[in-house]
Amino acid sequence: MNIPLLALATVLATIGPTHAAHAANDTQLQRLALCQDSWHDWKDDEARMARFVNSFESRFSRSAEGDAFTPKSETKVMGHAVTRVHPQSVGMGVGFSLVVDANSTKARAGIEQQLGKPMHCSVSEGVRSCEFKLSPSKTVLLMTGQSGQASTSLMGCYYFYQQ
């Protein structure tokens, strides 16, 4: 399911700028990745989405992959450098995700500290996946390749849809 660009724009503009010049943690991105804020919840609020999109576009450039964005300047979440942002997806799902320079252990520790609860993890097909279900429609995910040994991890908020 693709989110209309106007809807994404509205969400991106809603949160407002929180990026510090010295690469302090970006609370805007962190809140989206941990399902604390959600473009999915805001998609019908055009003014809020427009503010979010304007903020996002001022801080990120579309990457060569097309669906991803790269920070224009150093950006961190939970102390980890953000290398890519996928504002409409978490892997193959609909949501909001970040790729951070952190292995599974470090990324998981940061997420669990913010959530105040442990994630449930497993390894399958060479990918370590962790999740914490917040509600029937929101799950915080963490995925790291090489069975959790890769130096980068994807973290984000996944929105489940009824089939």
Side-chain angles (χ1 to χ4, degrees):
M1 170 184 273
N2 287 330
I3 304 301
L5 289 179
L6 176 59
L8 177 59
T10 305
V11 169
L12 293 174
T14 306
I15 299 174
T18 59
H19 181 72
H22 299 292
N25 285 325
D26 189 314
T27 56
Q28 177 182 43
L29 294 182
Q30 180 175 307
R31 290 186 60 78
L32 285 163
L34 297 180
C35 301
Q36 294 166 330
D37 284 329
S38 166
W39 59 255
H40 184 259
D41 295 342
W42 309 334
K43 66 182 178 268
D44 296 325
D45 185 341
E46 290 182 27
R48 191 172 194 184
M49 287 292 289
R51 287 189 308 273
F52 180 70
V53 168
N54 289 337
S55 170
F56 187 86
E57 288 178 345
S58 73
R59 299 180 302 132
F60 297 90
S61 299
R62 188 172 293 275
S63 69
E65 292 92 30
D67 68 337
F69 292 80
T70 57
K72 291 180 179 178
S73 62
E74 186 178 19
T75 302
K76 292 186 176 188
V77 168
M78 292 177 269
H80 309 300
V82 174
T83 60
R84 284 191 318 274
V85 177
H86 299 270
Q88 295 184 29
S89 68
V90 173
M92 297 297 291
V94 175
F96 185 93
S97 63
L98 313 169
V99 175
V100 296
D101 278 335
N103 64 26
S104 179
T105 302
K106 291 178 183 176
R108 179 180 177 186
I111 293 170
E112 289 179 341
Q113 180 180 13
Q114 293 299 314
L115 296 175
K117 301 195 186 235
M119 299 180 85
H120 173 352
C121 300
S122 62
V123 176
S124 177
E125 298 182 24
V127 176
R128 181 170 181 82
S129 300
C130 301
E131 67 176 42
F132 183 80
K133 191 170 196 153
L134 294 167
S135 73
S137 63
K138 292 181 188 171
T139 301
V140 177
L141 294 176
L142 171 66
M143 293 182 269
T144 309
Q146 300 170 3
S147 298
Q149 301 306 309
S151 62
T152 62
S153 297
L154 181 134
M155 64 172 64
C157 181
Y158 181 83
Y159 311 121
F160 291 98
Y161 289 92
Q162 290 180 342
Q163 298 292 327

